[in-house]
Amino acid sequence: MYVVWGRSAARLGNPAAYAQTVLVRAFLAHQRRRSAGERPSDALPESAMAGAADVSLRLTLLDALRQLPPKDRAVVVLRYWEDRSVEETADALYLSSAAVRTRSSRALARMREQLGGSIGEFVSS
């Protein structure tokens, strides 16, 4: 910007806006690079298979969620996946707080029936 400032400042209607645009574009270009999100670490993970149980658990839970009716699924996802309060969930789904509590307890009971004892194998002690 310093190099072209003397030539461009006279032509530009708003030099401050030009400077802001240059800074924003430079920031976005940096963020697009793969290396922008990488952080060096002195410790390596113990095992590549460490997250395998988490993947299996996630797939099992997603399958159980898929079998719920859409409104029950939405209540469970908002309440427990996104960690929203009963009131926030009720506002998002245009339901009463009592309806959210009822739907969540019934949906969790259905998921427990579907999963049975199989969920215990994924939980590490």
Side-chain angles (χ1 to χ4, degrees):
M1 268 183 4
Y2 178 75
V3 174
V4 295
W5 189 258
R7 294 179 289 175
S8 301
R11 293 194 317 238
L12 296 173
N14 188 353
Y18 170 75
Q20 183 178 3
T21 301
V22 169
L23 289 173
V24 168
R25 287 182 181 169
F27 172 77
L28 292 175
H30 174 72
Q31 292 297 322
R32 284 188 199 109
R33 282 193 251 147
R34 284 183 194 225
S35 63
E38 295 176 1
R39 300 285 181 251
S41 174
D42 60 345
L44 296 174
E46 289 186 26
S47 169
M49 295 302 292
D54 293 339
V55 171
S56 298
L57 175 61
R58 182 180 174 95
L59 291 174
T60 302
L61 289 175
L62 287 174
D63 187 46
L65 277 172
R66 197 174 296 117
Q67 295 176 20
L68 292 176
K71 278 206 175 190
D72 290 349
R73 186 180 325 134
V75 167
V76 169
V77 167
L78 289 174
R79 283 282 293 131
Y80 302 104
W81 200 296
E82 293 187 2
D83 199 27
R84 293 190 184 190
S85 68
V86 172
E87 291 76 23
E88 290 173 335
T89 304
D91 289 342
L93 297 175
Y94 303 108
L95 297 172
S96 67
S97 297
V100 168
R101 286 191 292 273
T102 302
R103 282 188 178 274
S104 64
S105 66
R106 288 181 184 167
L108 290 176
R110 279 191 209 120
M111 288 180 70
R112 280 188 204 102
E113 287 175 12
Q114 292 169 2
L115 297 172
S118 67
I119 198 70
E121 69 189 49
F122 298 108
V123 178
S124 60
S125 353

